[in-house]
Amino acid sequence: MGSYFLFFPFILLLAAIGYGQGAYASSRATYYGSPDCKGTPTGACGYGEYGRTVNNGEVTGVSRLYRNGSGCGACYQVRCQIRTHCREEGVKVVVTDYGEGDRTDFILSTQGYSKLARPNMAEELFAYGVVDVEYNRVPCRYGRRLMLKVHEYSNYPHYLALVPLYNEGFSDITAMYIWQDGMGWRPMRRAFGTVFDIPNPPKEPLLIRVQYNVQTEVKSADITNAIPEDWEVGVAYDTHVQIN
C-alpha cells in the first residue's frame, strides 16, 4: 500500500454503505505483503506503529473510502464472494492507509486477507490475488478511550501535530481546534490523513475541540487538559472521553 497523500472531492457514500444495518455494497479486494503479515507504519493516515498493529494487524488501505483522510480509522466488515473458499462472516478491518489496486476498494493486510478464507483455504485464496467482495461499515469497538498522539513531525514548542487513536463507533473526525486566549478557537489544519497540525500552539495545557460526524449529524467534544503544557513528541495522551 502506498502512502499517497492525494485529495479527492468525494461525495459521501456512507448512506449507501449502510452503517451496519445490513446493506452491503459490492467491490473487489486484494492484499499487500509485509514481513509479519500486518500493516505498515508508513501508511497515508499517519498512524505510524498503531496503523501496523491495531485490530491485531487486520487493517486495510482504501481508495474511494479514504475521503480525504476523514475515512481513516473507519471499520468495515468485508466478505469474499467465492463461497467455496471464504467464510460467511468475512473479516472486520480498520482503515489505516490509502491505496489503489485493480478496481479494488480494499487492499488488505495479509493478516486480514487470510481471515476471509475458510480453514485451510487461505493459500488457495491468496492465489486469486484479487477477489470479489461485499462490504458494510460497522462500528469500531476497542473498549478504551480516545487517545491523542503527538505525531513525530511535531517540534516542541513551535509546532504541534496530533493524531486521534482508538476512535470508536461510526464517528469520523472532520476537524480539530485549539483554544487560545485572546484569539478563541484556532482551527488546526488537516496536514494529511488524520494528522491535524498547528504552528505556535499555546504554551499551557491545551483545550482541544474535536468535531466529528456520525452519519449525517455533526457533533463536537471539548477535551480539557489532556495535552499538557510540556507535551512530548511520540506520546499518546488519554483524553478521558470517547466520541461515537
Side-chain angles (χ1 to χ4, degrees):
M1 292 193 297
S3 299
Y4 300 109
F5 308 141
L6 304 178
F7 300 98
F8 296 89
F10 292 127
I11 298 174
L12 290 178
L13 302 174
L14 299 183
I17 291 170
Y19 278 92
Q21 298 175 353
Y24 278 78
S26 298
S27 186
R28 284 154 57 89
T30 186
Y31 64 93
Y32 70 98
S34 65
D36 60 2
C37 301
K38 296 184 179 180
T40 170
T42 58
C45 289
Y47 285 135
E49 184 69 11
Y50 171 91
R52 193 181 74 83
T53 59
V54 67
N55 196 41
N56 195 35
E58 293 163 16
V59 298
T60 186
V62 292
S63 51
R64 293 182 303 160
L65 301 173
Y66 183 70
R67 293 182 284 112
N68 193 26
S70 65
C72 292
C75 293
Y76 292 91
Q77 195 75 23
V78 181
R79 305 190 304 206
C80 170
Q81 296 300 286
I82 306 175
R83 299 305 186 190
T84 56
H85 291 64
C86 299
R87 298 189 306 148
E88 183 176 350
E89 64 272 26
V91 62
K92 180 179 178 179
V93 291
V94 180
V95 175
T96 61
D97 202 356
Y98 176 89
E100 293 184 4
D102 179 13
R103 293 178 290 118
T104 59
D105 278 310
F106 296 91
I107 303 182
L108 303 172
S109 64
T110 47
Q111 177 82 357
Y113 194 88
S114 67
K115 289 295 183 69
L116 293 172
R118 295 181 183 274
N120 303 315
M121 297 292 286
E123 186 174 345
E124 294 184 40
L125 193 63
F126 277 113
Y128 279 89
V130 179
V131 294
D132 291 329
V133 297
E134 58 182 12
Y135 68 93
N136 187 23
R137 186 163 182 185
V138 294
C140 296
R141 292 287 181 250
Y142 301 109
R144 57 189 302 175
R145 295 175 295 205
L146 179 71
M147 308 284 286
L148 291 177
K149 179 187 175 184
V150 178
H151 195 275
E152 285 75 9
Y153 289 170
S154 300
N155 180 22
Y156 181 84
H158 308 293
Y159 170 75
L160 174 64
L162 295 176
V163 189
L165 308 178
Y166 300 110
N167 187 27
E168 290 211 335
F170 289 118
S171 56
D172 296 327
I173 294 177
T174 56
M176 292 178 64
Y177 303 83
I178 287 184
W179 177 266
Q180 186 157 358
D181 291 340
M183 298 181 65
W185 289 107
R186 292 178 57 192
M188 301 182 75
R189 179 188 66 146
R190 185 187 290 274
F192 65 91
T194 191
V195 179
F196 294 86
D197 67 359
I198 193 167
N200 303 313
K203 295 179 174 62
E204 58 189 20
L206 300 180
L207 174 58
I208 296 171
R209 174 167 290 174
V210 175
Q211 179 178 296
Y212 59 101
N213 292 353
V214 180
Q215 300 189 47
T216 59
E217 186 176 1
V218 180
K219 299 182 178 182
S220 64
D222 291 349
I223 299 169
T224 306
N225 297 332
I227 311 296
E229 178 180 353
D230 56 346
W231 48 265
E232 298 181 34
V233 173
V235 175
Y237 294 96
D238 189 344
T239 66
H240 301 286
V241 301
Q242 184 54 263
I243 58 175
N244 51 51

